[in-house]
């Protein structure tokens, strides 16, 4: 079988870690190996069907695509084979010696010992081919790429211990055959009834027939008849009417499509007829994949045209902020030779994208009615959904209704309050949704800017995710109510403040004009303006950003990314009722200047800002404390 072309190569480091993780973590869920291998075989058949559209010769006279499963109790083997596209030597090394998906190494590195015991984490990037090592102490793969010569076959074998051997072989059939040499404690899988039950449980929905042999012996020992029985339904699940598909079948199909170990949170199966004809089956996963935030990570829907598989990760049918949605779209209108480039220019695709986006958002809207399930979704995918208002202006209101925030209503870091909840609790005369952005939840919750809001019982949204300032620059109103950052510009509480309060504020500002001017002169060009505030009840001072300036959070993100950031001078507001301000007013000369700088620096620190000269602040503070 082998030739001089035999090589022994080492696995990529991530593969070694993954193998160790699976072999030691998935004992109780080991039956999933069959689901993964059948799923890979079905994909290989799909790919051959697609490539054969241009050249029938790739079928090599065997156009009936199928997956076959055999077992041998005496030899302790289970064999899974397909007559799909197959692989050449380079494909084998690339696909079976490495993990192509970016970020896997980083993900594995971050997993703690406790997490490694959690088999469900495997679902974050799919176990795929390597799942064979859960039940086998040796795996042998024989394959040949369709359309190549018979002497271009390849054999790959490994015991999953850090290296694999690869050799050239003669192979008459195209496609791939995987032979699992079962471990002593996995012999239960060398059983006809067990294997058939697993095929029906996990792979019934796969369109490619999964066949197993039935052996019938005649009266004469040499008279043996082998017939191949199709074990699965072998019909594309999305083609069947919704009423005929059970929840278990939908869940099993999701695991095939997403290579996920967990059940989905929800799904939506829909057939569209009219100017555009297509069927979609969309799923919301229950947990985020490890590469959710990597822009080059795998995402998109499986695209079929008239039930012929075309592209695995078609990104063109959903916007980037819905990249966590998995599923299938099957169109009758696109051409069979469609490519990623053609998809980007096809106006029909744009119409389908609009309709599928609306369906995905509607699916999330229904999910949000179950607060506990939706909270699970939000914990996993909320930060990604927050990208929506910037990316999809047309659906901004709908996305806004799906967002969840922490709030002073609960004073909890859990983001579980909707904008609709906020509006339902607004005070009489309140026309604005108020929010504050800080680097952490505690920094937001304890900000001096909240003092007047807490005193008057006005709710404020507490935002601390890295994306929140970006979100709020695009989500400026919801349900006719404007959203206002309480740390920017003049604070106007509108009708909530009585005429008497407004009059008192004006009189206080007028009375302290002289102090404000002295204060500004002491601080020089560090501030744009100094003025009396009515935001504060307990703190002596706070810094306010001009209305349209970039916030501190966004500035720090841009600086960290090496982006130039324009200098901004804040406005300092002081509380005329505070004892330190009274002390400032009665000070003169250097004492006045030092206290003015200390109050300003404290206001910057309370806002989460950074001091230009921390040592000067410490020196001034120490001097004040020792006098």
């Amino acid at each position: 079988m082998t030739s001089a072309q035999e090589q022994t190569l080492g696995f990529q480091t991530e593969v070694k870690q993954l193998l160790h993780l699976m072999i030691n973590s998935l004992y109780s869920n080991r039956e999933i190996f069959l689901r993964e291998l059948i799923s890979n075989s079905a994909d290989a058949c799909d790919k051959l069907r697609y490539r054969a559209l241009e050249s029938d010769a790739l079928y090599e006279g065997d156009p009936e695509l199928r997956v076959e499963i055999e077992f041998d109790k005496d030899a302790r083997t289970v064999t899974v084979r397909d007559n799909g596209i197959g692989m050449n030597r380079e494909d084998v090394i690339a696909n079976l010696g490495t993990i192509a998906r970016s970020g896997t190494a980083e993900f594995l590195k971050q997993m703690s010992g406790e997490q490694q015991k959690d088999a469900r984490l495997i679902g974050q990037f799919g176990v795929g081919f390597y799942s064979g090592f859960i039940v086998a102490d040796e795996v042998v793969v024989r394959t040949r790429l369709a359309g190549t010569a018979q002497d271009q076959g390849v054999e790959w074998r490994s015991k999953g211990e850090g290296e694999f051997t690869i050799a050239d072989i003669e192979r008459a059939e195209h496609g791939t055959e995987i032979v699992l040499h079962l471990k002593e404690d996995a012999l239960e899988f060398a059983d006809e009834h067990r294997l058939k039950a697993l095929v029906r449980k996990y792979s019934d929905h796969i369109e490619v027939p999964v066949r197993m042999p039935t052996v019938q012996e005649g009266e004469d020992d040499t008279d043996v008849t082998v017939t191949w029985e199709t074990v699965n339904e072998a019909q594309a699940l999305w083609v069947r009417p919704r009423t005929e598909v059970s929840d278990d079948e939908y869940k099993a199909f999701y695991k095939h499509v997403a290579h996920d170990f967990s059940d989905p949170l929800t799904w939506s199966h829909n057939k569209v007829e009219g100017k555009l004809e297509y069927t979609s089956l969309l799923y919301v996963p229950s947990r985020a994949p490890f590469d959710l935030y990597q822009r080059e990570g795998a995402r998109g829907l499986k695209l079929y045209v008239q039930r012929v598989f075309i592209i695995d990760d078609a990104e063109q049918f959903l916007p980037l902020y819905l990249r966590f949605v998995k599923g299938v779209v099957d169109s009758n209108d696109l051409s069979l030779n469609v490519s990623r480039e053609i998809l980007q220019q096809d106006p029909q695709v744009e119409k389908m994208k609009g309709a599928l986006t609306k369906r995905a958002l509607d699916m999330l809207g229904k999910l949000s009615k179950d607060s506990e399930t939706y909270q699970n979704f939000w914990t996993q995918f909320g930060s990604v959904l927050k990208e929506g208002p910037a990316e999809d202006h047309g659906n901004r209101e709908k996305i806004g209704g799906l967002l969840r925030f922490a709030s002073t209503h609960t004073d909890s870091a859990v983001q579980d309050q909707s904008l609709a909840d906020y509006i339902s609790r607004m005070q009489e005369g309140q026309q604005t949704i108020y929010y504050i952005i800080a680097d952490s939840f505690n920094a937001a919750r304890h900000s001096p800017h909240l003092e007047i809001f807490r005193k008057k019982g006005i709710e404020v949204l507490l935002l601390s995710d890295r994306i929140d300032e970006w979100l709020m620059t695009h989500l400026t109103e919801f349900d006719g109510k404007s959203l206002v950052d309480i740390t920017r510009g003049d604070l106007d509480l509108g009708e909530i403040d009585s005429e008497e309060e407004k009059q008192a504020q004006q009189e206080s500002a007028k009375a302290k004009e002289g102090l404000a001017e002295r204060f500004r002169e002491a601080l020089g060009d560090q501030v744009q303006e100094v003025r009396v505030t009515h935001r504060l009840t307990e703190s002596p001072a706070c810094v306010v950003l001009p209305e349209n300036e970039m916030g501190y959070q966004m500035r720090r993100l841009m600086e960290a990314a090496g982006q130039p950031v324009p200098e901004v001078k804040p406005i300092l507001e002081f509380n005329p009722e505070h004892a330190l301000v009274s002390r400032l007013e009665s000070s003169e000369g250097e004492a006045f200047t030092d206290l003015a700088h200390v109050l300003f620096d404290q206001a910057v620190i309370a806002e989460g800002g950074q001091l230009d000269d921390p040592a000067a602040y410490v020196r001034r503070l120490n001097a004040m404390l020792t006098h």
Side-chain angles (χ1 to χ4, degrees), residues 427-490:
Q427 292 196 12
E428 190 176 342
Q430 184 181 345
Q431 298 299 319
T432 304
I433 299 171
Y434 295 104
Y435 67 88
I436 185 170
I437 301 172
D439 278 347
S440 68
F441 169 73
N442 278 330
R445 184 171 58 141
H446 295 131
S447 170
H449 287 279
L450 290 176
E451 291 173 10
I452 189 65
F453 291 89
R454 290 195 186 277
K455 180 181 177 183
K456 289 181 173 286
I458 303 170
E459 184 175 353
V460 178
L461 302 177
L462 306 173
L463 280 57
S464 55
D465 286 350
R466 286 163 63 91
I467 194 173
D468 280 338
E469 189 170 341
W470 173 253
L471 162 68
M472 288 313 200
T473 58
H474 295 89
L475 187 68
T476 52
E477 66 173 57
F478 177 77
D479 195 18
K481 306 284 190 291
S482 59
L483 283 87
V484 170
D485 184 345
I486 65 172
T487 67
R488 292 170 187 267
D490 289 322

Side-chain angles (χ1 to χ4, degrees), residues 199-462:
V199 171
R200 292 187 180 115
K201 178 178 180 181
Y202 290 120
S203 308
D204 210 34
H205 53 274
I206 288 177
E207 191 176 15
V208 179
V210 181
R211 309 193 319 182
M212 286 185 65
T214 302
V215 179
Q216 292 174 319
E217 295 182 2
E219 294 177 12
D220 185 351
D221 286 346
T222 59
D223 183 16
V224 176
T225 307
V226 178
T227 55
W228 288 88
E229 174 196 356
T230 298
V231 183
N232 64 328
E233 180 89 15
Q235 181 188 11
L237 177 135
W238 64 88
V239 175
R240 291 161 55 190
R242 279 179 295 189
T243 52
E244 293 180 13
V245 185
S246 70
D247 285 359
D248 285 344
E249 288 177 303
Y250 276 124
K251 290 174 184 176
F253 184 66
Y254 164 75
K255 291 171 183 175
H256 163 65
V257 169
H259 292 284
D260 194 352
F261 189 77
S262 312
D263 286 339
L265 282 179
T266 187
W267 58 86
S268 174
H269 186 185
N270 188 47
K271 185 172 185 180
V272 175
E273 294 174 322
K275 285 185 180 178
L276 279 175
E277 289 198 8
Y278 64 90
T279 302
S280 65
L281 176 50
L282 307 180
Y283 290 94
V284 176
S286 59
R287 57 183 57 240
F290 74 99
D291 58 357
L292 183 66
Y293 297 99
Q294 291 173 335
R295 299 190 75 81
E296 74 276 16
R299 61 181 61 96
L301 305 176
K302 272 184 181 280
L303 172 63
Y304 289 76
V305 174
Q306 296 165 35
R307 282 167 294 294
V308 176
F309 170 77
I310 306 293
I311 298 173
D312 218 358
D313 302 306
E315 300 177 5
Q316 292 80 3
F317 294 96
L318 286 172
L320 200 58
Y321 72 91
L322 292 175
R323 59 185 174 271
F324 52 84
V325 174
K326 302 291 184 187
V328 166
V329 58
D330 187 347
S331 169
N332 289 337
D333 298 315
L334 299 173
S335 64
L336 284 166
N337 63 351
V338 73
S339 66
R340 291 185 190 273
E341 291 69 36
I342 292 171
L343 283 178
Q344 287 171 343
Q345 299 156 5
D346 194 322
Q348 289 183 321
V349 171
E350 199 57 36
K351 289 177 187 169
M352 288 170 68
K353 179 179 181 178
L356 289 168
T357 299
K358 184 177 182 300
R359 179 150 294 277
L361 292 174
D362 288 345
M363 181 167 57
L364 293 176
K366 285 180 186 170
L367 188 68
S368 69
K369 291 179 170 52
D370 179 342
S371 56
E372 188 176 334
T373 306
Y374 193 74
Q375 196 57 44
N376 180 20
F377 160 79
W378 184 259
T379 302
Q380 296 290 325
F381 301 107
S383 291
V384 180
L385 199 60
K386 285 180 177 181
E387 297 171 14
E391 188 183 345
D392 188 358
H393 191 271
N395 286 308
R396 193 170 55 177
E397 188 82 4
K398 192 170 276 195
I399 300 165
L402 296 171
L403 300 177
R404 296 293 181 267
F405 303 94
S407 154
T408 55
H409 176 70
T410 57
D411 257 356
S412 162
V414 178
Q415 297 178 13
D416 58 358
Q417 300 300 307
S418 70
L419 293 176
D421 292 336
Y422 182 104
I423 290 171
S424 71
R425 295 189 290 262
M426 283 170 67
Q427 292 196 12
E428 190 176 342
Q430 184 181 345
Q431 298 299 319
T432 304
I433 299 171
Y434 295 104
Y435 67 88
I436 185 170
I437 301 172
D439 278 347
S440 68
F441 169 73
N442 278 330
R445 184 171 58 141
H446 295 131
S447 170
H449 287 279
L450 290 176
E451 291 173 10
I452 189 65
F453 291 89
R454 290 195 186 277
K455 180 181 177 183
K456 289 181 173 286
I458 303 170
E459 184 175 353
V460 178
L461 302 177
L462 306 173

Side-chain angles (χ1 to χ4, degrees), residues 604-618:
V604 171
I605 292 169
E607 199 58 40
Q610 291 182 323
L611 301 182
D612 286 336
D613 189 353
Y617 166 70
V618 172

